[in-house]
Amino acid sequence: MEDFVFKTMTSSFALLVLYIVIRFVNNIWWRPRSTEKLLRQQGIRGSSYKLFNGDISDMKNSALKASSKAISLNHQIVPRVIPFIHKMVQQHGNVSLCWFGRRPRLIVVDAELTRLVLTNKNGHFTKPPRNPLVKILTQGLSSLEGEAWTKRRRLVTSAFQLQKLKAMVPAFSSSCHNMIQRWEKLVEPNGSFELDVSSEFDVLAGDVIARTAFGSSYQEGKKIFELQKEQAILARAEVLGIFGKKAPDFEGINHLKIVSMILYEVLRLYPPITVINKYNWCETRVGNMSIPAGVEVCLPLLLLHYDGNYWEKPEEFNPVRFTEGVSKASKDHIAFYPFGWGPRICPGQNFAFLEAKMALATILQHFSFQLSPSYAHAPSNSITLKPQFGAPIVIRRI
Ligand code: HEM
């Protein structure tokens, strides 16, 4: 009897070990290799799977090398901001395969495929799975899926309705004016002062969020909204002044619209979120492609924003391209999606845009400014796009 029990236990243990070994080998080798085969059969090019690490070392080294020095003062920022993705697309084309560790990642730079992934209604494309610790720390809307996401999204969308945004205007205004007062204390009446607008805007964004969380009355909001319109009118001359001799031809364009056009062009060239990643948990057909389960799709929106197939002279700062609105600015309107697209589109976009418009209009009313000679052009990808060495500007009272 004892012998039987011993034999059963030993063989169960051996089976368990065998199961664990098979699973392990499947996870680290067979599955990645079979996914790679499926993708290559469809003509997709890219890097071959390397055990455990995939392309992670290459990704890290490219990022380190790119961030080691500043670049010339122009808008050719793609190789610095997303060096690995840029290299892959140059070498392998608009749909290319790379490896985030064991996870296959398809880099997609094509308007139609991007649209299909972002608007996919069957729920196959979700947020990439995260480290459990990160999951605990980020329980916001963007980390939810399914029913929980639907419910929370409804609440968040309603919190950002136009009427509610208008009610937030006094809070926006107070934050902007506090910033201006702070700056005014720094600048002598006829003098100038150098400050880092990057950290100033971080403070402003935090302050606005903190204030809006407490709300305000609609009437008060409406009044201040009207006042802000007037301020923007006054700001027109300053807006034109930014460009000096190189001023684009804004003739006949409404002043408020000019501020919006400038902000859209800044969002095109420097989108705060440069890449959107989606995880495909179930085999999905996208256009002519069949994407196997477990593949991550990487949509580098920065690359589409700079794509000569969709934009005239993409590396030129030219707000006039937005004269007829966002949808007509490029050859395909999904070539511009700083706030994402589809069901997961940013619910805070009107909030963010209004805040930026008010901040710019208020600053222009009080100060003129120019880039500091100490500025080093080094846009860098650290969760969001940031100036690596800050953004020093020299301000003067007007
Ligand atoms: C210029 C500023 C902003 C930009 C460029 C931006 C961009 C984006 C993008 C691209 C996404 C979609 C990500 C994806 O599909 O995975 C997103 C989602 C989101 N954004 Fe923004 N955003 C901005 C400001 C804001 C602000 C001010 C708020 C809130 C006050 C906000 C709240 C959210 C939320 C909650 C989501 C997740 C939506 C969901 O998963 O359903 N964003 N944002």
Side-chain angles (χ1 to χ4, degrees), residues 118 127 141-142 149 153 156 160 209 267 272-273 276-278 301 337-341 343-349 351-352 355:
L118 290 179
K127 294 268 162 185
L141 175 66
S142 71
W149 172 78
R153 173 87 196 189
V156 171
F160 286 118
I209 298 266
L267 274 177
I273 293 176
I276 295 179
N277 288 325
K278 298 283 169 192
L301 58 85
Y337 60 114
F339 294 103
W341 203 266
R344 289 274 180 169
I345 196 165
C346 177
Q349 61 175 301
F351 178 101
E355 177 186 335

Side-chain angles (χ1 to χ4, degrees), residues 159-211:
F160 286 118
Q161 278 166 358
L162 190 64
Q163 298 295 15
K164 294 192 179 145
L165 275 186
K166 282 186 178 173
M168 293 177 195
V169 168
F172 285 15
S173 179
S174 303
S175 298
C176 291
H177 281 101
N178 276 359
M179 182 176 74
I180 297 296
Q181 276 172 1
R182 215 173 45 243
W183 291 10
E184 273 175 341
K185 285 191 192 133
L186 299 172
V187 194
E188 299 289 320
N190 289 320
S192 63
F193 190 83
E194 180 173 314
L195 52 78
D196 179 8
V197 269
S198 172
S199 47
E200 286 292 326
F201 288 162
D202 284 347
V203 172
L204 177 72
D207 195 52
V208 166
I209 298 266
R211 281 170 194 272

Side-chain angles (χ1 to χ4, degrees), residues 269-315:
L269 291 166
Y270 298 90
I273 293 176
T274 57
V275 171
I276 295 179
N277 288 325
K278 298 283 169 192
Y279 179 76
N280 178 37
W281 59 270
C282 179
E283 183 170 352
T284 315
R285 234 190 137 81
V286 172
N288 294 328
M289 223 187 342
S290 164
I291 305 184
V295 171
E296 196 170 294
V297 180
C298 164
L299 307 167
L301 58 85
L302 184 64
L303 271 172
L304 271 183
H305 285 189
Y306 278 79
D307 193 330
N309 293 316
Y310 305 113
W311 302 92
E312 299 283 334
K313 298 190 183 156
E315 282 159 7

Side-chain angles (χ1 to χ4, degrees), residues 231-282:
Q231 287 182 346
I233 295 169
L234 294 171
R236 180 169 200 250
E238 278 72 40
V239 169
L240 291 174
I242 297 175
F243 297 96
K245 284 191 191 119
K246 283 194 198 155
D249 184 10
F250 286 132
E251 206 41 54
I253 304 176
N254 167 306
H255 41 270
L256 268 179
K257 204 171 154 189
I258 296 174
V259 176
S260 299
M261 283 157 55
I262 292 170
L263 289 173
Y264 278 131
E265 184 65 341
V266 171
L267 274 177
R268 182 183 73 83
L269 291 166
Y270 298 90
I273 293 176
T274 57
V275 171
I276 295 179
N277 288 325
K278 298 283 169 192
Y279 179 76
N280 178 37
W281 59 270
C282 179

